[in-house]
Amino acid sequence: MRERGDPPHRLSSTTFRHAYWTIAQLVAHHTINGCDLRAGDLLGTGTQSGPTPGEAGSLLELSAGGSRPIRVGRDESRTFLEDGDRVIFRGWCEKPGMARIGFGDAQGRVLPGIDPANQAV
């Protein structure tokens, strides 16, 4: 897709309304043992999946554990990430009448593994 100049392909879209725990409960759980969580820190909530297939929170869910390839772009499919794949996460909070707050794109590319046999010691 990248070589053809195709745009990114959205795999999933969900919302935090499907979360089992509230943010207050997550913060309490995170800090109960003395974690020094401060304003501005990023809190990882784990996978956020929704009730429909299009709201899956991971490629593992989308591909049914790798048993069902999913379409990516015009003519590619994946069951798992491959070398060279770029993954982009976008997230934001919004509420009617309030400013939308986001963190921009968080993205990375899957690089080939290092062959230990070819590494100098």
Side-chain angles (χ1 to χ4, degrees):
M1 290 173 54
R2 185 173 30 263
E3 292 169 1
R4 289 191 307 262
D6 290 349
H9 178 85
R10 178 178 287 175
L11 296 178
S12 179
S13 181
T14 191
T15 126
F16 197 73
R17 82 172 48 104
H18 304 301
Y20 186 77
W21 302 103
T22 67
I23 290 293
Q25 290 169 321
L26 289 169
V27 168
H29 176 75
H30 189 73
T31 59
I32 195 73
N33 288 319
C35 176
D36 187 21
L37 189 64
R38 295 176 295 197
D41 286 353
L42 184 62
L43 178 66
T45 61
T47 302
Q48 293 300 314
S49 300
T52 67
E55 296 173 298
S58 72
L59 190 53
L60 192 63
E61 285 181 73
L62 287 167
S63 69
S67 67
R68 186 179 60 231
I70 59 167
R71 195 104 169 114
V72 180
R74 286 187 300 185
D75 57 1
E76 295 182 47
S77 64
R78 294 285 187 279
T79 50
F80 297 100
L81 293 174
E82 296 180 4
D83 290 350
D85 284 349
R86 181 173 297 280
V87 177
I88 304 169
F89 289 99
R90 293 184 177 112
W92 61 89
C93 296
E94 62 185 346
K95 182 177 179 180
M98 306 297 285
R100 179 173 158 162
I101 300 171
F103 62 80
D105 290 357
Q107 59 180 291
R109 184 176 304 189
V110 178
L111 299 176
I114 298 172
D115 182 355
N118 294 330
Q119 297 297 308
V121 180

